[in-house]
């Protein structure tokens, strides 16, 4: 796709978050002008400083809640975007179990508002941040887009499944929006500059921040939940996708939507590496890539954990002309460099 004239604007809700901030960089590199909407309830303003350091200029940011209809209409009117990438959502699985109504309200209401506003302002292109959580524990691996969705293990996971259904049903009703839902697996890593990365608030919910914080001495040890699963070393298997690769996938999805004929359309695409890695192999790879030992202990299985899940990425390769490029070792090295900067 060739972009000419003024850079087309793209609204990025949750654009100061982990995946959102990296996608902002990828958008600029691809010739777009990202406009961030983020109320910083689940992110840090320091991400804007990191983006400035990487890009050499500020990125427009509206520090507002994307569920405010009047404010969002004003932003659409003022910025005249040609597309929206929607990340903004609460994402802590445990909290969603304790506060389900918060998650249903915060994760679904803004989605519906965006789908109402986009046709009003003639914005056709929509990329939705979905998740492999919609698959649960699949009966067959690797997971394809045709794999049946299973009941979610948490209200958070359910908001992703319901979000997909909302988009599908709205487009079936012929709202003039072209949408792609990207079901991605386990994002890890950081920008190679170490200017932006994952900033978990409180206790991390993901493996790699636990590894880096333990390696840095912030945590005394890492608990590996279960070593008696039916996997090569007994620990759970996941598909770990580098956040820079994941960001590039969002930009490729956006480009494909822009190139597609006008009219209502909807599809889902898995974004992963196509490889499964055990928890213990991730720890060993981190140690080899950084030269830093990780103090870990084996604990009991954790309720709700899926034994193994990894993606079939054939559709992403074919439809988006995209594939993951960065190795697990590179991702873990970048995550460690980011962690060292935070110390």
């Amino acid at each position: 796709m060739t972009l000419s004239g003024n850079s087309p604007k793209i609204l990025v809700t949750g654009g100061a978050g982990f995946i959102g901030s990296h996608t902002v960089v990828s958008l600029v590199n691809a010739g777009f002008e990202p406009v961030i909407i983020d109320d910083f309830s689940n992110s840090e303003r320091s991400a804007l400083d990191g983006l400035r350091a990487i890009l050499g200029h500020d990125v427009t940011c509206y520090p507002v809640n994307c569920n405010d209809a009047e404010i969002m209409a004003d932003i659409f009117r003022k910025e005249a975007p040609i597309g929206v990438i929607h990340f903004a959502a609460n994402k802590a699985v445990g909290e969603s179990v304790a506060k389900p109504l918060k998650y249903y309200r915060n994760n679904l209401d803004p989605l519906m508002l965006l789908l109402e506003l986009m046709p009003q302002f003639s914005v056709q292109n929509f990329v939705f941040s979905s998740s492999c959580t919609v698959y649960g524990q699949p009966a067959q691996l690797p997971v394809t887009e045709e794999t049946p969705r299973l009941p979610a293990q948490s209200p958070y996971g359910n908001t992703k499944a319901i979000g997909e259904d909302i988009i599908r049903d709205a487009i079936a009703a012929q709202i003039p929006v072209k949408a792609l839902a990207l079901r991605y697996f386990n994002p890890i890593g950081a920008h190679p500059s170490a200017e932006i990365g994952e900033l978990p608030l409180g206790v991390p919910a993901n493996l790699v921040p636990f590894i880096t914080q333990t390696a840095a001495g912030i945590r005394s040890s890492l608990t590996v939940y279960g070593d008696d699963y039916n996997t090569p070393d007994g620990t759970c298997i996941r598909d770990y996708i580098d956040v820079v690769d994941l960001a590039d996938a969002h930009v490729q999805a956006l480009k494909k939507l822009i190139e597609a004929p006008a009219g209502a359309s909807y599809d889902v695409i898995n974004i992963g590496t196509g490889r499964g890695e055990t928890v213990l192999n991730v720890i060993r790879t981190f140690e080899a890539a950084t030269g830093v030992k990780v103090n870990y202990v084996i604990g009991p299985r954790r309720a709700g954990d899926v034994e193994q899940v990894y993606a079939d990425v054939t559709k992403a390769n074919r439809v988006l002309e995209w594939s993951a490029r960065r190795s697990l070792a590179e991702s873990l090295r970048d995550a460690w460099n980011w962690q060292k900067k935070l110390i």
Side-chain angles (χ1 to χ4, degrees):
M1 184 187 70
T2 301
L3 300 171
S4 59
N6 294 331
S7 298
K9 292 184 178 181
I10 307 298
L11 297 189
V12 186
T13 69
F18 177 40
I19 305 170
S21 60
H22 289 79
T23 301
V24 164
V25 174
S26 292
L27 283 166
V28 172
N29 291 341
F32 295 97
E33 181 181 342
V35 176
I36 294 172
I37 302 171
D38 199 310
D39 67 0
F40 299 99
S41 61
N42 200 33
S43 58
E44 298 284 349
R45 291 179 183 271
S46 59
L48 301 180
D49 299 327
L51 288 171
R52 184 188 309 113
I54 294 169
L55 299 172
H57 59 80
D58 287 319
V59 177
T60 300
C61 177
Y62 291 90
V64 300
N65 190 305
C66 62
N67 195 32
D68 188 311
E70 186 174 343
I71 289 175
M72 289 298 293
D74 286 343
I75 293 172
F76 271 91
R77 189 175 297 109
K78 179 179 179 181
E79 299 294 343
I82 67 163
V84 177
I85 302 179
H86 182 45
F87 293 108
N90 292 112
K91 60 181 183 178
V93 170
E95 184 189 42
S96 78
V97 174
K99 301 178 180 179
L101 296 182
K102 171 185 176 181
Y103 273 67
Y104 287 117
R105 181 176 296 112
N106 289 354
N107 290 8
L108 298 177
D109 286 356
L111 170 62
M112 290 185 284
L113 176 61
L114 287 168
L115 292 173
E116 289 169 345
L117 288 174
M118 289 176 64
Q120 293 178 33
F121 293 92
S122 300
V123 182
Q124 296 186 22
N125 307 298
F126 186 65
V127 181
F128 177 61
S129 166
S130 191
S131 168
C132 68
T133 58
V134 302
Y135 296 119
Q137 176 60 71
Q140 291 185 314
L141 291 170
V143 173
T144 75
E145 290 80 2
E146 305 306 315
T147 298
R149 293 187 334 190
L150 296 177
Q153 300 292 311
S154 68
Y156 161 72
N158 205 27
T159 65
K160 291 301 183 182
I162 295 171
E164 289 187 1
D165 293 344
I166 289 171
I167 300 168
R168 180 201 63 205
D169 292 346
I171 288 174
Q174 295 299 305
I175 68 166
V177 169
K178 299 176 286 182
L180 281 172
L182 303 187
R183 293 174 175 168
Y184 38 86
F185 284 65
N186 292 66
I188 62 170
H191 193 269
S193 67
E195 294 290 350
I196 54 174
E198 190 167 7
L199 273 172
L201 303 180
V203 179
N206 301 321
L207 174 62
V208 171
F210 251 117
I211 291 175
T212 59
Q213 289 185 9
T214 302
I218 296 170
R219 302 189 179 277
S220 59
S221 67
L222 163 71
T223 299
V224 176
Y225 294 105
D227 64 350
D228 58 350
Y229 287 100
N230 184 28
T231 63
D233 60 24
T235 62
C236 290
I237 287 177
R238 297 289 183 271
D239 188 335
Y240 296 95
I241 173 76
D242 188 273
V243 67
V244 175
D245 284 337
L246 178 56
D248 289 343
H250 284 80
V251 176
Q252 279 298 106
L254 181 69
K255 288 180 177 180
K256 293 300 179 182
L257 291 173
I258 293 169
E259 293 170 354
S265 66
Y266 172 64
D267 205 355
V268 298
I269 299 179
N270 287 338
I271 304 295
T273 65
R275 300 184 307 275
E277 304 283 356
T278 67
V279 173
L280 287 181
N281 190 54
V282 174
I283 294 172
R284 295 188 195 103
T285 303
F286 175 86
E287 292 176 336
T290 65
V292 181
K293 298 297 288 183
V294 177
N295 182 31
Y296 69 89
V297 297
I298 304 296
R301 292 188 180 194
R302 184 171 53 182
D305 272 349
V306 172
E307 178 176 278
Q308 51 183 312
V309 62
Y310 54 94
D312 182 313
V313 293
T314 303
K315 188 172 181 179
N317 299 161
R318 175 176 53 83
V319 175
L320 300 184
E321 299 178 275
W322 168 94
S323 61
R325 298 174 182 273
R326 299 174 64 77
S327 69
L328 179 62
E330 287 176 296
S331 300
L332 295 171
R333 181 201 63 206
D334 289 342
W336 177 235
N337 288 336
W338 166 246
Q339 180 67 65
K340 289 190 291 183
K341 184 171 182 180
L342 294 177
I343 298 173

